[in-house]
Amino acid sequence: MQTGTAPSTQLVRRVNASAMLKAMRGAGIVTGTELMAATGLSRATVISICDELVRLGWLQELENQRGAGDYVKGRPARRFAFDDSAASVIGIDIGANKITAIVADMAGTPLSQVTMPFRAYNVPAKERVDVLDSIAAEALEKAGVYADSVLAVSVGVAAPVSRAGEVLRAQEFWKSFDVRKIVSERHGWHVLLENDANLAALAERWQGSAQGVDNLVVMLAGDRLGSGILESGRLLHGQVGGFGELGYLDNVDGVGDTYGIAHYATLWGREALDSGAETKLRELCGGDPEALTAEMVFRAAKEGDRAAHKIMDRMAHRMARVVGSISTLVNPELVVIAGAVADSAQTLIPAMEKQVPDFTFTPPRLATSALGDGIVSLGAIRHALDYVEENALDLYPASLSKQVAAG
């Protein structure tokens, strides 16, 4: 009795097609023999899947070398090229203050990036939806692609998200802002939802300083601390998406909460001003403590200001405790500080490296991200591309939709 044979065969074919697309993306022109070497698949499987991907519009079969005028002995090799422009994906980062969207082709090359601020902090859901619509339209226009070319949209949110793409409903705001349903109903796109720090981890391993690192923590460390964690190359979620949430820091001595580097740089800078300390910070903020920013504190420290240096020492000690605690839990090879503060936080790394071993027996390497504050949107692009690769046999460019449906 062979129940389940057909679904199993279909699943294997999907996995093989995904492996083929991964091997072809960015590789230029490849032959069946080269694909066999890259994927370990048999010639029959490679050619069969290539034929199907050509039919679906993912691959282009090129003229063989003999037909192109290059003499080769024996049967000419079939040559294929992945069509990077066959379709597109969108990566979106929804923050408390702004939305950033990136449109990319199938090679993951960004075609446009647009950021729009909200009118105020934490605006109502309806207004947030309107901004989301506007930014998606502008990003597509700048990219020069049509809405029906979009095969997947990945959205990063500052909330736990389950493996099934459901936001933890205990968070009140998301009860009134079902972004996945709203975007899907308005545009007809397939929408994926993921935690913003998890997407940052995907981006860092894809294009950042963590390329090739399988055991990784990427920490968004701006106003709040959040982390995305990869173990053996696999993104971890936990039962309801809470893996990597850092609420336990409330109970860690010397940390006490989940506020991030930007928050404390500003808070401690204002405390220095209120104490009457002689500091360059007063000049930078025009004498108004409320106008002080984290960037001003880092700038003053770089210029040798004593009060700002004390803040940096205090910050490095606090972040060493944070890294030590999470390293004790998950034992990563590398911890990357990411987000808008990453460039400034580079100055904290030497002091953190000295102190982290005081708080864990398994100290990781430390680095800061060079991907900037677009890291979440970039990770969302990687997330969307992963979905397309895994479902390539069920997806196809809009230009071929009628032909495929009819066939």
Side-chain angles (χ1 to χ4, degrees):
M1 189 172 177
Q2 298 188 359
T3 59
T5 300
S8 297
T9 301
Q10 187 179 35
L11 176 60
V12 169
R13 194 164 179 79
R14 290 172 190 267
V15 171
N16 289 342
S18 176
M20 295 262 292
L21 288 180
K22 282 183 171 67
M24 295 196 71
R25 188 142 48 86
I29 299 172
V30 294
T31 65
T33 300
E34 289 167 338
L35 286 171
M36 289 168 57
T39 63
L41 300 174
S42 69
R43 178 175 295 278
T45 299
V46 165
I47 295 303
S48 174
I49 292 177
C50 279
D51 286 341
E52 188 162 4
L53 292 175
V54 168
R55 181 181 71 85
L56 293 174
W58 291 116
L59 305 184
Q60 296 175 344
E61 182 169 7
L62 307 179
E63 189 176 18
N64 65 53
Q65 289 174 300
R66 182 175 294 162
D70 296 327
Y71 175 76
V72 292
K73 293 183 178 180
R75 184 173 60 183
R78 295 179 66 182
R79 304 187 304 154
F80 303 91
F82 180 71
D83 188 357
D84 295 344
S85 63
S88 57
V89 294
I90 303 178
I92 300 175
D93 174 18
I94 301 180
N97 303 306
K98 62 185 179 181
I99 295 180
T100 298
I102 297 176
V103 176
D105 63 18
M106 288 296 100
T109 303
L111 304 176
S112 68
Q113 178 171 335
V114 178
T115 297
M116 285 187 183
F118 294 121
R119 172 182 50 82
Y121 182 83
N122 215 9
V123 296
K126 184 181 183 305
E127 186 172 339
R128 196 164 289 223
V129 170
D130 291 340
V131 174
L132 183 57
D133 279 346
S134 296
I135 195 173
E138 183 176 342
L140 287 169
E141 183 179 359
K142 284 190 173 183
V145 301
Y146 295 105
D148 64 0
S149 76
V150 177
L151 290 186
V153 178
S154 176
V155 181
V157 297
V161 179
S162 71
R163 293 185 189 89
E166 297 289 342
V167 176
L168 183 63
R169 295 299 172 180
Q171 299 208 357
E172 188 64 32
F173 174 76
W174 297 103
K175 292 180 181 179
S176 61
F177 186 49
D178 190 342
V179 62
R180 188 165 61 166
K181 180 180 178 182
I182 291 168
V183 173
S184 180
E185 289 182 348
R186 290 196 176 195
H187 302 282
W189 295 327
H190 182 83
V191 182
L192 309 164
L193 221 56
E194 184 54 274
N195 173 262
D196 54 359
N198 285 349
L199 293 178
L202 293 181
E204 199 64 37
R205 189 168 184 265
W206 180 32
Q207 294 191 3
S209 57
Q211 294 179 56
V213 177
D214 288 339
N215 297 290
L216 169 70
V217 172
V218 173
M219 190 172 294
L220 293 178
D223 290 324
R224 290 275 186 176
L225 297 174
S227 66
I229 300 173
L230 275 74
E231 198 279 327
S232 298
R234 181 172 61 96
L235 191 62
L236 301 180
H237 288 88
Q239 182 181 357
V240 293
F243 204 97
E245 291 295 310
L246 299 177
Y248 76 90
L249 293 175
D250 293 351
N251 302 310
V252 174
D253 288 345
V255 181
D257 55 46
T258 60
Y259 286 108
I261 291 174
H263 171 88
Y264 273 108
T266 304
L267 176 65
W268 293 339
R270 289 171 181 172
E271 288 178 356
L273 291 172
D274 291 341
S275 72
E278 184 178 338
T279 172
K280 188 178 181 66
L281 296 175
R282 203 174 307 280
E283 174 188 339
L284 291 175
C285 70
D288 179 10
E290 293 303 311
L292 186 72
T293 65
E295 290 78 9
M296 294 175 186
V297 178
F298 279 103
R299 175 181 169 186
K302 187 175 182 180
E303 295 176 0
D305 183 80
R306 180 176 298 179
H309 265 297
K310 288 182 178 180
I311 293 172
M312 293 300 104
D313 290 342
R314 190 176 176 186
M315 189 76 71
H317 181 75
R318 182 175 188 270
M319 289 304 298
R321 286 179 176 270
V322 170
V323 171
S325 68
I326 199 166
S327 296
T328 299
L329 288 172
V330 301
N331 189 24
E333 174 188 341
L334 174 68
V335 173
V336 179
I337 306 299
V341 300
D343 187 48
S344 298
Q346 178 63 41
T347 61
L348 303 175
I349 295 297
M352 288 174 62
E353 287 175 333
K354 291 180 181 179
Q355 296 181 59
V356 166
D358 295 337
F359 305 111
T360 179
F361 290 113
T362 56
R365 292 190 294 114
L366 302 179
T368 55
S369 174
L371 299 180
D373 59 2
I375 186 172
V376 174
S377 298
L378 186 62
I381 291 297
R382 178 67 267 169
H383 190 220
L385 289 173
D386 287 344
Y387 170 81
V388 172
E389 286 178 354
E390 291 165 7
N391 296 274
L393 297 183
D394 299 315
L395 301 171
Y396 38 84
S399 61
L400 293 183
S401 60
K402 291 182 180 179
Q403 297 177 38
V404 173

